[in-house]
Amino acid sequence: MTALGVFAAIRAGAAEAGFDGVDGLRVLVQGLGAVGADVARLAADAGAKLIVTDVDPARCAAAADELGAEVVDTAAVTTRACDVLVPCATGGLITAEVAATVPTAVIAGAANNLLADP
């Protein structure tokens, strides 16, 4: 299951960044399709303060209802402060400019081609 691999990367990244587990971390999941929704559930189950965004408002509403997630606008994904950013939607999200300014300690996601330039 892809979501389990992404969640393992989240835990490893959090540990590398000096966090003691996922509990209490602000985890922003971009994209609530099959993988993103499962990652969001795993993060919520681990005690994360879940933040979500998706182009489909119904998916956001479901995550808010089911998981207690805070919903943010899709345009805020690279500017919203969080501890872990989990891109599970749009590829090419991380440009050199975004990498230098994104307010997060960890980026771990399932989107294809996370980096705009290899």
Side-chain angles (χ1 to χ4, degrees):
M1 170 187 234
T2 303
L4 287 175
V6 172
F7 190 66
I10 291 169
R11 288 191 325 230
E16 183 68 25
F19 296 113
D20 186 25
V22 177
D23 187 29
L25 294 186
R26 298 165 300 159
V27 175
L28 194 165
V29 179
Q30 176 213 28
L32 296 170
V35 174
D38 285 346
V39 171
R41 284 185 198 90
L42 291 167
D45 288 348
K49 295 176 183 174
L50 194 59
I51 307 162
V52 298
T53 189
D54 193 284
V55 296
D56 182 346
R59 289 179 177 177
C60 290
D65 291 343
E66 177 188 340
L67 306 172
E70 173 189 348
V71 177
V72 297
D73 188 85
T74 55
V77 72
T78 58
T79 58
R80 173 63 161 81
C82 60
D83 300 305
V84 182
L85 174 59
V86 187
C88 293
T90 308
L93 179 69
I94 309 300
T95 63
E97 180 182 341
V98 167
T101 61
V102 66
T104 191
V106 176
I107 300 173
N112 291 329
N113 306 316
L114 286 178
L115 303 177
D117 296 311

